[in-house]
Amino acid sequence: MEKYWNKEIECMSREDMKKLQDERLVAQVKHVYEHVPYYKKLMDEKGVTPEDIKSTDDLHKLPFLSKADLREAYPYGLLAKPLSECVRIHSTSGTTGKRVVAFYTQNDVDMWDDCVARAITAAGGTKDDVCQIAYGFGLFTGGAGLNGGSHKVGCLTLPMSSGSTNRQIQFMQDLHSTILCCTPSYAAYIGETVAELGLTPDDLDLKAGIFGAEPWTEEMRHSIEQSLGIKAYDIYGLTESSGPGVAFECSEQSGMHINEDNFIAEIINPETGEVLPDGEVGELVFTSITKEAFPLLRYRTRDLCVLSRKKCSCGRTLVKMSKPMGRSDDMMIIRGVNVFPSQIETVLIAEGYSPNYQIEVDRVNNSDTLDINVELNPDQFSDKVKDIQNRERALSASIKAMLGINPKVHLLPPKSITRSEGKAVRVIDKRKLHD
């Protein structure tokens, strides 16, 4: 039987979990209403008082929070505890406007570490493992989150941060790392470099990888698993709700269990805000019911996914979220068609191409253009122009079959697209320059 970090919580009955969530939600709404003027104003405008929230059944009465609210309230407007009680700050790697800053009390850090410890244990981690953390450290939550969880489990922890790939592989070999934690695009790059160094997965002691911070497809999972000889687990989180560890995959790998004792998940229609039943695709919304310093109620993540309460073979009763299918704000509308980068990635990997690609969208003479730059694997590379053109046409046809629109595919030599050690930049939308 798979081990649990906290069996009592992870295998709790639905009735007991609902009772726990009800109690925590009621207390949290009161705490936020009394200590966060910004959210009190939103509640007052909606005509809701803490007394109206008697259980999770009343959650839909509360107003939403969005990233725009976080930017408007920057830096201290959503703080619910005195700064003297806060011990940590993290920030998103946002590229537009003000960054989002999140605050943590010591209890918040402990809760986060506990959530990540559950994820590491679900991936088979114990105190006998060597956990190599190649997520970035600093304001980004990836490194700190996995570091804290790894310590809690008692793993020997290598806080490598990202980059210096040859050194990563040397440490992996010398210190017999068994679990690798990083972004999926960096894991793919490490796998590529392992092969280039003339090594095989048998030269490593890795057994598992915990990868998150960016969307990745099942095809990419299998490719990483083969290149590193591991089982690859997904982990989900966002700075606004603490960081990685909000949800994690178990050995069944059919979605990520949400740590429901700390976070209540809802799925809404992104257009209307209406709450959707389990099994329907919509935007994921989180309410933090144990966070002290930065407790967000009904925070819109913009991630599109599905919730499922189907019985899981691992024995955990925590609700599962599917891998995000894209973001409601990452979705590109090209010539009237909804396009997600993950759809393009699925085709590329199915056709045997590298997961290193970049999508460029532009507008020429009032018409959208879609160019997809794809790196060839070394064995696919040819200096015969005709060969490349034939491949481009075939790949373009496969992508058109998936999307319904015709892209222009450009096959490039190996290593010509800049590698990412953090989140990969997949989309360059130049149309924004002409707004």
Side-chain angles (χ1 to χ4, degrees), residues 121-286:
T121 307
T126 69
K127 64 182 176 53
D128 298 319
D129 279 290
V130 179
C131 192
Q132 183 157 332
I133 298 164
Y135 281 109
F137 279 72
L139 286 171
F140 174 57
T141 53
L146 271 297
N147 192 64
S150 176
H151 279 210
K152 202 143 198 178
V153 172
C155 304
L156 177 61
T157 308
L158 302 183
M160 298 284 294
S161 199
S162 57
S164 308
T165 306
N166 285 15
R167 192 179 63 187
Q168 298 270 6
I169 295 166
Q170 188 192 333
F171 266 81
M172 228 172 250
Q173 289 187 287
D174 296 349
L175 295 166
H176 307 289
S177 305
T178 51
I179 299 173
L180 172 66
C181 308
C182 60
T183 60
S185 51
Y186 191 45
Y189 182 45
I190 291 174
E192 216 175 84
T193 311
V194 164
E196 277 168 17
L197 293 171
L199 303 171
T200 72
D202 293 340
D203 296 309
L204 306 172
D205 293 288
L206 290 178
K207 64 176 186 183
I210 300 175
F211 307 131
E214 63 188 18
W216 52 308
T217 56
E218 283 303 311
E219 291 79 7
M220 190 166 180
R221 186 208 298 269
H222 298 316
S223 156
I224 292 169
E225 287 182 334
Q226 280 178 320
S227 70
L228 291 172
I230 58 173
K231 187 159 177 163
Y233 294 82
D234 208 345
I235 189 167
Y236 176 89
L238 48 164
T239 305
E240 297 89 330
S241 60
S242 71
V246 171
F248 61 91
E249 255 183 345
C250 63
S251 54
E252 191 178 281
Q253 294 187 314
S254 61
M256 290 172 275
H257 290 287
I258 294 170
N259 285 311
E260 291 185 273
D261 51 323
N262 299 304
F263 308 100
I264 300 175
E266 302 170 272
I267 293 287
I268 63 164
N269 177 322
E271 303 297 319
T272 64
E274 172 208 356
V275 179
L276 300 174
D278 290 351
E280 286 201 28
V281 180
E283 182 184 338
L284 184 60
V285 171
F286 275 120

Side-chain angles (χ1 to χ4, degrees), residues 76 79 81-89 103-104:
Y76 301 127
L79 192 60
K81 283 279 183 184
L83 274 179
S84 57
E85 288 183 37
C86 298
V87 298
R88 179 99 63 84
I89 286 175
F103 299 84
Y104 302 72

Side-chain angles (χ1 to χ4, degrees), residues 49 295 302:
T49 65
R302 295 290 175 195

Side-chain angles (χ1 to χ4, degrees), residues 12 20 48 54 59 86 148 168 175 189 215 219 250 267 271 293 302 304 330-331 348 359 417:
M12 192 179 262
L20 180 66
V48 194
K54 295 178 174 62
L59 195 57
C86 298
Q168 298 270 6
L175 295 166
Y189 182 45
E219 291 79 7
C250 63
I267 293 287
E271 303 297 319
R302 295 290 175 195
L304 298 173
D330 263 14
M331 183 178 77
L348 295 182
I359 301 160
I417 294 176

